[in-house]
Coordinates of all heavy atoms in Angstrom, one line a residue:
M20 N 0.8 -1.2 0.0 CA 0.0 0.0 0.0 C 0.9 1.2 0.0 O 1.7 1.4 0.8 CB -0.9 0.0 1.2 CG -1.7 1.2 1.4 SD -3.1 1.1 2.6 CE -2.2 1.4 4.1
S21 N 0.7 2.1 -1.0 CA 1.5 3.3 -1.1 C 0.8 4.5 -0.3 O -0.4 4.6 -0.3 CB 1.6 3.7 -2.6 OG 2.4 4.8 -2.7
R22 N 1.7 5.3 0.3 CA 1.2 6.4 1.1 C 1.8 7.7 0.4 O 2.8 7.6 -0.2 CB 1.7 6.4 2.5 CG 1.1 5.3 3.3 CD 1.8 5.2 4.7 NE 3.2 5.0 4.5 CZ 4.1 4.8 5.4 NH1 3.7 4.8 6.6 NH2 5.4 4.5 5.1
T23 N 1.2 8.8 0.6 CA 1.7 10.1 0.2 C 2.2 10.8 1.4 O 1.5 11.0 2.4 CB 0.6 10.9 -0.5 OG1 0.2 10.2 -1.7 CG2 1.2 12.2 -1.0
V24 N 3.5 11.3 1.3 CA 4.1 11.9 2.4 C 4.5 13.3 1.9 O 5.1 13.5 0.9 CB 5.4 11.2 2.9 CG1 6.1 11.9 4.0 CG2 5.0 9.8 3.3
V25 N 4.2 14.4 2.7 CA 4.6 15.7 2.4 C 5.8 16.1 3.3 O 5.7 15.9 4.5 CB 3.5 16.7 2.6 CG1 4.0 18.2 2.5 CG2 2.4 16.5 1.6
L26 N 6.8 16.6 2.7 CA 8.0 17.1 3.5 C 8.0 18.6 3.4 O 8.0 19.2 2.3 CB 9.3 16.5 3.0 CG 10.5 17.0 3.7 CD1 10.5 16.6 5.2 CD2 11.8 16.4 3.1
D27 N 7.9 19.3 4.5 CA 7.9 20.8 4.6 C 9.3 21.3 4.4 O 10.1 21.2 5.2 CB 7.3 21.3 5.9 CG 7.2 22.8 6.0 OD1 7.6 23.5 5.1 OD2 6.6 23.2 7.0
C28 N 9.6 21.8 3.2 CA 10.9 22.3 2.8 C 11.0 23.8 2.9 O 12.0 24.4 2.4 CB 11.3 21.8 1.4 SG 11.2 20.0 1.2
R29 N 10.0 24.5 3.4 CA 10.0 25.9 3.5 C 11.1 26.5 4.2 O 11.5 27.7 4.0 CB 8.6 26.4 4.0 CG 7.4 26.1 3.2 CD 6.1 26.5 3.9 NE 6.0 25.8 5.2 CZ 5.3 26.3 6.2 NH1 4.6 27.4 6.1 NH2 5.3 25.6 7.4
W30 N 11.7 25.8 5.1 CA 12.8 26.3 5.9 C 14.2 26.2 5.3 O 15.2 26.6 5.9 CB 12.8 25.6 7.3 CG 11.6 25.9 8.1 CD1 10.5 25.1 8.1 CD2 11.4 27.0 9.0 NE1 9.6 25.7 9.0 CE2 10.1 26.9 9.5 CE3 12.2 28.1 9.3 CZ2 9.6 27.8 10.4 CZ3 11.7 29.0 10.2 CH2 10.4 28.8 10.7
L31 N 14.3 25.8 4.1 CA 15.6 25.6 3.4 C 16.5 26.8 3.5 O 17.7 26.7 3.6 CB 15.4 25.2 1.9 CG 15.3 23.7 1.7 CD1 15.0 23.4 0.2 CD2 16.5 22.9 2.1
A32 N 15.9 28.0 3.4 CA 16.7 29.2 3.3 C 17.1 29.7 4.7 O 17.9 30.7 4.9 CB 15.9 30.4 2.7
F33 N 16.7 29.0 5.8 CA 17.1 29.3 7.1 C 18.1 28.4 7.7 O 18.2 27.2 7.3 CB 15.8 29.2 8.0 CG 14.7 30.2 7.7 CD1 13.9 29.9 6.6 CD2 14.6 31.4 8.4 CE1 12.9 30.8 6.3 CE2 13.6 32.3 8.0 CZ 12.7 32.0 7.0
T34 N 18.9 28.9 8.6 CA 19.9 28.0 9.2 C 19.2 27.2 10.3 O 18.1 27.4 10.6 CB 21.0 28.9 9.9 OG1 20.4 29.7 10.9 CG2 21.8 29.7 8.9
G35 N 19.9 26.2 10.8 CA 19.3 25.3 11.8 C 18.3 24.3 11.1 O 18.8 23.3 10.6
A36 N 17.1 24.6 11.2 CA 16.1 23.7 10.7 C 16.2 23.5 9.2 O 16.1 22.4 8.7 CB 14.7 24.2 11.0
G37 N 16.6 24.6 8.5 CA 16.9 24.5 7.0 C 18.0 23.5 6.7 O 18.0 22.8 5.7
R38 N 19.1 23.6 7.5 CA 20.2 22.7 7.3 C 19.8 21.2 7.5 O 20.2 20.3 6.7 CB 21.3 23.1 8.2 CG 22.6 22.2 8.0 CD 23.2 22.4 6.7 NE 24.5 21.7 6.7 CZ 25.0 21.2 5.6 NH1 24.5 21.3 4.5 NH2 26.2 20.5 5.7
M39 N 19.0 21.0 8.5 CA 18.5 19.6 8.7 C 17.7 19.1 7.5 O 17.8 18.0 7.1 CB 17.7 19.5 10.0 CG 17.4 18.1 10.4 SD 15.9 17.8 11.3 CE 14.6 18.3 10.1
V40 N 16.8 20.0 7.0 CA 16.0 19.6 5.9 C 16.9 19.3 4.7 O 16.7 18.3 3.9 CB 14.9 20.7 5.5 CG1 14.2 20.4 4.2 CG2 13.9 20.8 6.7
E41 N 17.9 20.2 4.5 CA 18.8 20.0 3.3 C 19.5 18.6 3.4 O 19.6 17.9 2.5 CB 19.8 21.1 3.3 CG 20.9 20.9 2.2 CD 21.9 22.0 2.2 OE1 21.8 23.0 2.8 OE2 23.0 21.7 1.6
L42 N 20.0 18.3 4.6 CA 20.7 17.0 4.8 C 19.8 15.8 4.6 O 20.1 14.8 4.0 CB 21.3 16.9 6.2 CG 22.5 17.9 6.4 CD1 22.9 17.9 7.9 CD2 23.7 17.6 5.5
L43 N 18.5 15.9 5.0 CA 17.5 14.9 4.8 C 17.3 14.7 3.3 O 17.3 13.6 2.8 CB 16.2 15.2 5.5 CG 15.1 14.2 5.4 CD1 15.5 12.9 6.1 CD2 13.8 14.8 6.1
L44 N 17.1 15.8 2.6 CA 16.9 15.8 1.1 C 18.1 15.2 0.4 O 17.9 14.4 -0.5 CB 16.6 17.2 0.6 CG 15.2 17.7 1.0 CD1 15.1 19.2 0.6 CD2 14.1 17.0 0.4
R45 N 19.3 15.5 0.8 CA 20.5 14.9 0.2 C 20.5 13.4 0.4 O 20.9 12.7 -0.5 CB 21.7 15.6 0.7 CG 21.9 17.0 0.2 CD 23.3 17.6 0.7 NE 23.4 19.0 0.4 CZ 23.8 19.4 -0.8 NH1 24.1 18.6 -1.8 NH2 23.9 20.7 -1.0
G46 N 20.1 13.0 1.6 CA 20.1 11.6 1.8 C 19.1 10.9 1.0 O 19.3 9.8 0.5
F47 N 17.9 11.5 0.8 CA 16.9 10.9 0.0 C 17.3 10.9 -1.5 O 16.9 10.0 -2.3 CB 15.5 11.7 0.1 CG 14.8 11.4 1.4 CD1 13.8 12.2 1.9 CD2 15.1 10.3 2.2 CE1 13.1 11.9 3.0 CE2 14.4 10.0 3.3 CZ 13.5 10.8 3.8
Q48 N 18.1 11.9 -1.9 CA 18.6 11.8 -3.3 C 19.5 10.6 -3.5 O 19.5 10.0 -4.5 CB 19.4 13.1 -3.6 CG 18.6 14.3 -4.0 CD 19.5 15.5 -4.3 OE1 20.4 15.8 -3.6 NE2 19.1 16.2 -5.4
A49 N 20.3 10.3 -2.5 CA 21.3 9.2 -2.6 C 20.5 7.9 -2.5 O 20.9 6.9 -3.2 CB 22.3 9.3 -1.4
Q50 N 19.5 7.8 -1.7 CA 18.7 6.6 -1.6 C 17.2 7.0 -1.5 O 16.7 7.2 -0.4 CB 19.1 5.8 -0.4 CG 18.3 4.5 -0.4 CD 19.1 3.4 0.3 OE1 20.3 3.5 0.7 NE2 18.5 2.3 0.5
P51 N 16.5 7.1 -2.6 CA 15.1 7.5 -2.6 C 14.2 6.7 -1.7 O 14.4 5.4 -1.7 CB 14.7 7.5 -4.0 CG 15.9 7.6 -4.8 CD 17.0 6.9 -4.0
P52 N 13.4 7.3 -0.9 CA 12.5 6.5 0.0 C 11.3 5.9 -0.8 O 11.1 6.3 -2.0 CB 11.9 7.6 0.9 CG 12.0 8.9 0.1 CD 13.2 8.7 -0.8
S53 N 10.7 5.0 -0.2 CA 9.5 4.4 -0.9 C 8.3 5.4 -0.7 O 8.4 6.4 -0.1 CB 9.2 3.0 -0.3 OG 8.9 3.2 1.1
D54 N 7.2 5.0 -1.1 CA 6.0 5.8 -1.1 C 6.1 7.0 -2.0 O 7.1 7.1 -2.7 CB 5.6 6.3 0.3 CG 5.3 5.1 1.3 OD1 4.7 4.1 0.8 OD2 5.7 5.2 2.5
D55 N 5.0 7.8 -2.1 CA 5.0 8.9 -2.9 C 5.3 10.2 -2.0 O 4.7 10.4 -1.0 CB 3.6 9.1 -3.5 CG 3.2 7.9 -4.4 OD1 4.1 7.4 -5.1 OD2 2.0 7.5 -4.4
W56 N 6.3 10.9 -2.5 CA 6.7 12.1 -1.7 C 6.4 13.4 -2.4 O 6.6 13.5 -3.6 CB 8.2 12.0 -1.4 CG 8.5 11.0 -0.3 CD1 8.4 9.7 -0.3 CD2 8.9 11.3 1.0 NE1 8.7 9.1 0.9 CE2 9.0 10.1 1.7 CE3 9.1 12.5 1.7 CZ2 9.4 10.1 3.1 CZ3 9.5 12.5 3.0 CH2 9.6 11.3 3.7
V57 N 6.0 14.4 -1.6 CA 5.7 15.7 -2.1 C 6.6 16.7 -1.3 O 6.6 16.7 -0.1 CB 4.2 16.1 -1.9 CG1 4.0 17.6 -2.4 CG2 3.3 15.2 -2.6
L58 N 7.5 17.4 -2.0 CA 8.3 18.4 -1.4 C 7.7 19.7 -1.5 O 7.4 20.2 -2.6 CB 9.7 18.4 -2.1 CG 10.4 17.0 -2.3 CD1 11.7 17.2 -3.0 CD2 10.5 16.4 -0.9
W59 N 7.3 20.3 -0.4 CA 6.5 21.6 -0.4 C 7.5 22.6 0.1 O 7.9 22.7 1.2 CB 5.4 21.4 0.6 CG 4.5 22.6 0.7 CD1 4.0 23.4 -0.3 CD2 4.0 23.2 1.9 NE1 3.2 24.4 0.2 CE2 3.2 24.3 1.6 CE3 4.2 22.9 3.3 CZ2 2.6 25.1 2.5 CZ3 3.6 23.7 4.2 CH2 2.7 24.7 3.8
G60 N 7.9 23.5 -0.9 CA 8.8 24.5 -0.5 C 9.2 25.5 -1.6 O 8.5 25.6 -2.6
P61 N 10.2 26.3 -1.4 CA 10.6 27.4 -2.3 C 11.2 26.8 -3.6 O 11.6 25.6 -3.6 CB 11.6 28.2 -1.5 CG 12.2 27.2 -0.6 CD 11.1 26.3 -0.2
P62 N 11.4 27.6 -4.6 CA 12.0 27.1 -5.8 C 13.4 26.4 -5.6 O 13.7 25.5 -6.4 CB 12.2 28.4 -6.7 CG 11.1 29.3 -6.2 CD 11.0 29.0 -4.7
E63 N 14.1 26.8 -4.6 CA 15.4 26.2 -4.3 C 15.3 24.7 -4.0 O 16.3 24.0 -4.1 CB 16.1 26.9 -3.1 CG 16.5 28.3 -3.4 CD 15.3 29.3 -3.2 OE1 14.3 28.9 -2.6 OE2 15.4 30.5 -3.7
T64 N 14.1 24.2 -3.7 CA 13.9 22.8 -3.4 C 14.2 21.9 -4.6 O 14.5 20.8 -4.5 CB 12.5 22.6 -2.9 OG1 12.2 23.5 -1.8 CG2 12.3 21.2 -2.4
E65 N 14.0 22.5 -5.8 CA 14.1 21.7 -7.0 C 15.5 21.0 -7.1 O 15.5 19.9 -7.6 CB 14.0 22.6 -8.2 CG 14.2 22.0 -9.6 CD 13.1 20.9 -9.9 OE1 12.0 21.1 -9.6 OE2 13.5 19.9 -10.5
V66 N 16.6 21.6 -6.7 CA 17.9 21.0 -6.8 C 18.0 19.7 -6.0 O 18.9 18.9 -6.2 CB 19.0 22.0 -6.5 CG1 19.0 23.1 -7.5 CG2 19.0 22.4 -5.1
F67 N 17.1 19.5 -5.0 CA 17.2 18.4 -4.1 C 16.2 17.3 -4.5 O 16.2 16.2 -3.9 CB 16.9 18.8 -2.7 CG 17.9 19.8 -2.1 CD1 17.6 21.1 -2.0 CD2 19.2 19.4 -1.8 CE1 18.5 22.0 -1.5 CE2 20.2 20.3 -1.3 CZ 19.8 21.6 -1.2
R68 N 15.4 17.6 -5.5 CA 14.3 16.6 -5.8 C 14.9 15.4 -6.5 O 15.8 15.4 -7.3 CB 13.3 17.3 -6.8 CG 12.1 16.4 -7.1 CD 11.0 17.2 -7.7 NE 11.3 17.9 -8.9 CZ 10.6 17.8 -10.0 NH1 9.5 17.0 -10.0 NH2 10.9 18.5 -11.0
W69 N 14.4 14.2 -6.1 CA 14.8 12.9 -6.7 C 13.8 12.5 -7.7 O 12.6 12.9 -7.6 CB 15.1 11.9 -5.6 CG 13.9 11.6 -4.7 CD1 13.0 10.6 -4.9 CD2 13.6 12.3 -3.5 NE1 12.1 10.6 -3.9 CE2 12.4 11.7 -3.1 CE3 14.1 13.3 -2.8 CZ2 11.7 12.1 -1.9 CZ3 13.4 13.7 -1.7 CH2 12.3 13.1 -1.2
P70 N 14.1 11.5 -8.6 CA 13.1 11.0 -9.5 C 11.9 10.5 -8.8 O 12.0 9.7 -7.9 CB 13.8 10.0 -10.3 CG 15.3 10.3 -10.2 CD 15.4 11.0 -8.8
G71 N 10.7 10.9 -9.2 CA 9.5 10.4 -8.6 C 8.9 11.3 -7.5 O 7.7 11.2 -7.1
A72 N 9.7 12.2 -7.0 CA 9.2 13.2 -6.0 C 8.5 14.3 -6.7 O 9.0 14.9 -7.6 CB 10.4 13.7 -5.1
E73 N 7.4 14.7 -6.1 CA 6.6 15.9 -6.7 C 7.1 17.1 -5.9 O 7.3 17.1 -4.7 CB 5.2 15.6 -6.5 CG 4.3 16.8 -7.0 CD 2.8 16.6 -6.7 OE1 2.4 15.5 -6.3 OE2 2.1 17.5 -6.9
L74 N 7.1 18.2 -6.7 CA 7.5 19.5 -6.0 C 6.3 20.4 -6.1 O 5.7 20.6 -7.2 CB 8.6 20.2 -6.8 CG 9.1 21.5 -6.3 CD1 9.5 21.5 -4.8 CD2 10.2 22.1 -7.2
V75 N 5.9 20.9 -4.9 CA 4.8 21.9 -4.9 C 5.4 23.2 -4.3 O 5.9 23.2 -3.2 CB 3.6 21.5 -3.9 CG1 2.6 22.6 -3.8 CG2 3.0 20.2 -4.5
L76 N 5.4 24.2 -5.1 CA 6.1 25.5 -4.8 C 5.3 26.4 -3.9 O 4.0 26.5 -4.0 CB 6.5 26.3 -6.0 CG 7.5 25.6 -7.0 CD1 7.7 26.5 -8.2 CD2 8.8 25.4 -6.2
T77 N 5.9 27.0 -3.0 CA 5.4 28.1 -2.2 C 6.5 29.1 -2.0 O 7.6 28.8 -1.8 CB 4.8 27.6 -0.8 OG1 4.3 28.7 -0.1 CG2 5.9 27.0 0.0
T78 N 6.1 30.4 -2.0 CA 7.1 31.5 -1.8 C 6.8 32.2 -0.5 O 7.5 33.2 -0.1 CB 7.1 32.4 -2.9 OG1 5.8 33.0 -3.1 CG2 7.6 31.8 -4.2
T79 N 5.8 31.7 0.3 CA 5.5 32.4 1.6 C 6.5 31.9 2.6 O 6.8 30.7 2.8 CB 4.1 32.0 2.1 OG1 3.2 32.3 1.0 CG2 3.8 32.7 3.3
K80 N 7.1 32.9 3.3 CA 8.1 32.5 4.4 C 7.4 31.8 5.5 O 6.3 32.1 5.9 CB 8.7 33.8 4.9 CG 9.5 34.6 3.9 CD 10.7 33.9 3.4 CE 11.5 34.8 2.4 NZ 12.4 34.1 1.7
P81 N 8.1 30.7 6.0 CA 7.4 29.9 7.0 C 7.3 30.6 8.4 O 6.5 30.1 9.2 CB 8.4 28.7 7.1 CG 9.7 29.2 6.7 CD 9.4 30.2 5.6
N82 N 8.0 31.7 8.6 CA 7.9 32.4 9.9 C 6.8 33.5 9.9 O 6.7 34.2 10.9 CB 9.3 32.9 10.3 CG 9.9 33.9 9.3 OD1 9.4 34.0 8.2 ND2 11.0 34.5 9.6
K83 N 6.1 33.6 8.8 CA 5.0 34.6 8.8 C 3.8 34.0 9.6 O 3.5 32.8 9.5 CB 4.5 34.8 7.4 CG 5.4 35.5 6.5 CD 5.5 36.9 6.8 CE 6.4 37.6 5.8 NZ 6.5 39.0 6.0
W84 N 3.3 34.8 10.5 CA 2.2 34.4 11.4 C 2.5 33.1 12.1 O 1.7 32.2 12.3 CB 0.9 34.2 10.6 CG 0.3 35.4 9.9 CD1 0.8 36.7 10.0 CD2 -0.8 35.4 9.0 NE1 0.0 37.5 9.2 CE2 -0.9 36.8 8.6 CE3 -1.7 34.5 8.6 CZ2 -1.9 37.1 7.7 CZ3 -2.7 34.8 7.7 CH2 -2.8 36.2 7.3
R85 N 3.8 33.1 12.6 CA 4.2 31.9 13.4 C 4.1 30.6 12.7 O 3.7 29.6 13.2 CB 3.6 31.9 14.7 CG 3.8 33.1 15.5 CD 3.2 33.0 16.9 NE 3.5 34.3 17.6 CZ 3.3 34.5 18.8 NH1 2.9 33.5 19.6 NH2 3.5 35.7 19.4
G86 N 4.3 30.6 11.4 CA 4.2 29.4 10.6 C 2.9 28.9 10.2 O 2.7 27.9 9.5
Q87 N 1.8 29.7 10.6 CA 0.5 29.2 10.4 C -0.2 29.8 9.1 O -1.3 29.5 8.8 CB -0.4 29.5 11.6 CG 0.1 28.9 12.8 CD 0.2 27.4 12.7 OE1 -0.7 26.7 12.3 NE2 1.4 26.9 13.1
R88 N 0.5 30.8 8.5 CA -0.1 31.5 7.3 C -0.6 30.5 6.2 O -1.6 30.8 5.6 CB 0.9 32.5 6.8 CG 0.4 33.3 5.6 CD 1.3 34.3 5.2 NE 0.8 35.1 4.2 CZ 1.2 36.3 3.8 NH1 2.2 36.8 4.4 NH2 0.6 36.9 2.8
D89 N 0.2 29.5 5.9 CA -0.2 28.6 4.8 C -0.8 27.3 5.3 O -0.7 26.3 4.6 CB 1.1 28.3 4.0 CG 1.3 29.4 3.0 OD1 0.4 30.2 2.7 OD2 2.4 29.4 2.4
W90 N -1.3 27.2 6.5 CA -1.8 25.9 7.0 C -2.8 25.3 6.1 O -2.9 24.1 5.9 CB -2.3 26.0 8.4 CG -3.6 26.7 8.5 CD1 -3.8 28.1 8.8 CD2 -4.9 26.2 8.3 NE1 -5.1 28.4 8.8 CE2 -5.8 27.3 8.5 CE3 -5.5 25.0 8.1 CZ2 -7.2 27.2 8.4 CZ3 -6.8 24.8 8.0 CH2 -7.7 25.9 8.1
Y91 N -3.6 26.1 5.4 CA -4.6 25.6 4.5 C -4.1 25.3 3.1 O -4.8 24.8 2.2 CB -5.8 26.6 4.4 CG -5.4 28.0 4.0 CD1 -5.3 28.3 2.7 CD2 -5.0 28.9 4.9 CE1 -4.9 29.6 2.3 CE2 -4.6 30.2 4.6 CZ -4.5 30.5 3.2 OH -4.1 31.8 2.8
R92 N -2.8 25.5 2.8 CA -2.2 25.3 1.5 C -1.3 24.0 1.6 O -0.7 23.7 0.5 CB -1.4 26.5 1.1 CG -2.3 27.7 0.7 CD -1.4 28.8 0.2 NE -2.2 29.9 -0.1 CZ -1.8 31.2 0.0 NH1 -0.6 31.4 0.3 NH2 -2.6 32.2 -0.2
V93 N -1.3 23.4 2.7 CA -0.4 22.2 2.7 C -1.0 21.1 1.8 O -2.2 20.9 1.8 CB -0.4 21.6 4.2 CG1 0.3 20.3 4.2 CG2 0.1 22.6 5.2
P94 N -0.1 20.6 0.9 CA -0.7 19.6 -0.1 C -1.3 18.4 0.6 O -0.9 18.0 1.7 CB 0.6 19.2 -0.8 CG 1.5 20.3 -0.7 CD 1.3 20.9 0.7
S95 N -2.3 17.9 0.0 CA -3.0 16.7 0.5 C -2.1 15.5 0.6 O -1.3 15.3 -0.3 CB -4.2 16.4 -0.4 OG -4.9 15.3 0.1
S96 N -2.2 14.8 1.7 CA -1.3 13.6 1.9 C -1.8 12.8 3.1 O -2.8 13.1 3.8 CB 0.1 14.1 2.3 OG 0.1 14.7 3.5
D97 N -1.1 11.7 3.3 CA -1.4 10.8 4.4 C -0.6 11.2 5.6 O -1.0 10.9 6.7 CB -1.1 9.3 4.0 CG -2.0 8.8 2.9 OD1 -3.2 9.0 2.9 OD2 -1.4 8.3 1.9
L98 N 0.5 11.8 5.4 CA 1.4 12.2 6.5 C 2.2 13.5 6.1 O 2.6 13.6 5.0 CB 2.4 11.1 6.7 CG 3.5 11.3 7.8 CD1 2.8 11.3 9.1 CD2 4.5 10.2 7.7
V99 N 2.3 14.4 7.0 CA 3.0 15.6 6.8 C 4.2 15.7 7.8 O 4.0 15.4 9.0 CB 2.2 16.9 6.9 CG1 3.0 18.1 6.7 CG2 1.0 16.9 5.9

């Protein structure tokens, strides 16, 4: 059974959390995970996408409104 997983990549431009997301994405490039993955983030996310991963772009900064500004724009999935 395949699941759809969304990875919040909006923090890529920030230090700390963004670096962790970058390292996770690099690992997934080296060994792609199973299931269907959606990378939700800024255009810079494209360089980390692996074959089969979908990219959903957003240009809203994640720290606007304490990260809640885009809560209704999170792509549909089984797990975020």
Side-chain angles (χ1 to χ4, degrees):
M20 176 166 83
S21 182
R22 296 174 297 186
T23 301
V24 180
V25 170
L26 181 60
D27 185 351
C28 302
R29 296 175 301 156
W30 292 94
L31 272 175
F33 295 81
T34 59
R38 180 68 173 149
M39 191 212 61
V40 171
E41 178 184 341
L42 293 172
L43 182 64
L44 290 169
R45 287 185 187 277
F47 285 162
Q48 279 182 317
Q50 182 152 356
S53 60
D54 296 322
D55 298 322
W56 282 72
V57 177
L58 308 179
W59 182 47
E63 296 81 14
T64 308
E65 176 65 39
V66 300
F67 299 106
R68 187 160 57 127
W69 59 91
E73 179 184 351
L74 177 60
V75 175
L76 294 177
T77 181
T78 56
T79 304
K80 300 291 184 197
N82 56 352
K83 294 284 186 180
W84 296 356
R85 299 183 185 193
Q87 301 304 309
R88 182 175 182 163
D89 276 348
W90 71 267
Y91 56 90
R92 291 186 184 148
V93 177
S95 179
S96 67
D97 298 308
L98 178 66
V99 178

